Amino acid sequence: MTDTNNIATFLRVIQSLKEDGALERADWLLLLPLMIQLVDNLKDAMGHRPILYIGLAGVERILEQTLETIEREQDN
């Protein structure tokens, strides 16, 4: 995603939260890839701190599994 797309996605999610205070499945499908990208960037920045890197790798995997689950449920 480009930075412009990321900003547009973020604004769409914020608008959804303002409207009803909850995230819809479509919002999660937009937000989770951004969260995964953020964690990946943090892992790169924390590479010299093994404990933080391992923790962030775990968080990244959980986010990826959540995204996979939501996508699978959407297909059904």
Side-chain angles (χ1 to χ4, degrees), residues 5-62:
N5 286 342
N6 290 346
I7 292 170
T9 299
F10 179 72
L11 292 175
R12 183 191 179 293
V13 170
I14 294 298
Q15 185 61 37
S16 176
L17 284 171
K18 282 183 181 178
E19 289 173 0
D20 58 14
L23 292 174
E24 302 296 326
R25 180 175 295 173
D27 298 328
W28 281 111
L29 289 172
L30 293 171
L31 188 58
L32 281 167
L34 295 176
M35 293 169 69
I36 292 167
Q37 182 181 357
L38 173 64
V39 170
D40 193 47
N41 291 344
L42 287 171
K43 275 181 18 190
D44 289 343
M46 298 295 165
H48 59 284
R49 297 182 185 156
I51 300 265
L52 291 175
Y53 185 88
I54 292 168
L56 288 170
V59 169
E60 183 177 32
R61 185 65 193 133
I62 290 169

